[in-house]
Amino acid sequence: MNAASPLFTRFAGFIDRLKQTIAAASVKVQGRPARLPAPLGLLLYGRLSRLTTRLRDLLARIEAERTKPRRIAAPRAPRKSPPKPAPILPRRFGWIAKPLPEANAHAQTLRHFLCEPETESLIASDPRIGRILRPLCHLLGIDLTLIYRMVPPTHPNDPTQTKPHPLLRNPSTKPRPQNPHPRLPKPPDPPLGAPTLDAIQSLLDHTFSPRAQTHNPWFTPPDFFIVHPK
């Protein structure tokens, strides 16, 4: 028995329990309408069944590649077949939790399963496993960037060899470029102080000067605006 068999057995049991929950929510109970429309529940049921089959076949193929020497296959001509319109499920992140609140418990179970060291090492061994599991995590609302740590570096003495987990979408190992001309911080404003008598006198002279009062030649500033003699 290979190392992936116990993990796959647990994963298949998880998918079976999730399919039972979806099937129960797609039928009427005591005259109440179904929480999931029957066509949507049937479509989702089939998607989960195919996901389990794909993962089982992939694990068997990986085990066969490990035991048998790898052969270089001859290139095949691409098949030209008309595209078939596939039924589309909702694409919103974690959409199943709204019509099916008990899916949150299944999401928590899958989250703990993906965080186990054996599961992490299995997913890190082949990126094709991650491509199969991503749609399921998106369906249940599992944020992979929060639960997955970094893969241990190939060379422990070289921390630059650390790479993101292969289950994450579009991992990027390039560091962010630094700005060669960083913006200098804005200097703080000078503290406000009490105005001096000269500043107040200049403001009054400018406000009540004859040039500012040309529209009223009979205006003269009163004596109490004189702060102090110059």
Side-chain angles (χ1 to χ4, degrees):
M1 181 179 294
N2 55 17
S5 296
L7 295 177
F8 175 76
T9 302
R10 293 174 53 193
F11 179 78
F14 165 78
I15 294 295
D16 289 340
R17 292 189 296 272
L18 181 59
K19 291 193 298 184
Q20 292 174 5
T21 305
I22 293 173
S26 302
V27 296
K28 297 181 180 180
V29 179
Q30 297 179 356
R32 297 180 180 178
R35 290 177 293 170
L36 281 178
L40 181 61
L42 184 61
L43 176 61
L44 187 56
Y45 193 97
R47 290 284 181 91
L48 294 176
S49 300
R50 289 192 296 271
L51 185 146
T52 307
T53 304
R54 288 178 56 197
L55 184 60
R56 181 192 61 196
D57 297 342
L58 177 59
L59 294 178
R61 189 161 56 250
I62 293 174
E63 186 65 20
E65 292 174 356
R66 293 176 180 175
T67 56
K68 296 181 181 180
R70 187 176 181 180
R71 298 179 182 179
I72 301 177
R76 299 179 180 180
R79 298 180 180 179
K80 295 183 179 180
S81 58
K84 298 180 181 181
I88 299 177
L89 287 171
R91 298 181 179 181
R92 188 174 68 254
F93 180 75
W95 65 268
I96 197 173
K98 185 176 181 179
L100 202 63
E102 52 265 43
N104 293 324
H106 295 285
Q108 189 69 13
T109 302
L110 181 61
R111 187 179 293 108
H112 288 299
F113 176 74
L114 295 177
C115 289
E116 294 181 3
E118 295 82 2
T119 310
E120 288 187 353
S121 60
L122 176 63
I123 295 174
S125 63
D126 198 298
R128 293 174 291 181
I129 302 177
R131 288 194 289 268
I132 296 177
L133 295 179
R134 283 194 203 106
L136 179 62
C137 296
H138 185 82
L139 168 69
L140 295 175
I142 300 176
D143 191 356
L144 300 174
T145 59
L146 297 180
I147 67 174
Y148 268 114
R149 300 182 295 272
M150 305 295 287
V151 176
T154 306
H155 304 284
N157 297 330
D158 189 3
T160 60
Q161 296 294 329
T162 303
K163 297 180 180 180
H165 200 278
L167 189 56
L168 302 180
R169 184 182 298 274
N170 297 329
S172 177
T173 58
K174 297 181 180 180
R176 296 182 62 183
Q178 297 182 357
N179 187 5
H181 304 288
R183 182 179 298 179
L184 297 178
K186 183 180 179 181
D189 297 332
L192 298 177
T196 60
L197 295 177
D198 294 337
I200 297 176
Q201 185 64 55
S202 300
L203 179 61
L204 295 176
D205 294 342
H206 176 74
T207 304
F208 298 103
S209 61
R211 182 180 299 177
Q213 302 295 336
T214 52
H215 64 281
N216 189 1
W218 305 102
F219 175 81
T220 55
D223 296 338
F224 59 83
F225 281 109
I226 305 300
V227 179
H228 64 89
K230 293 185 178 180

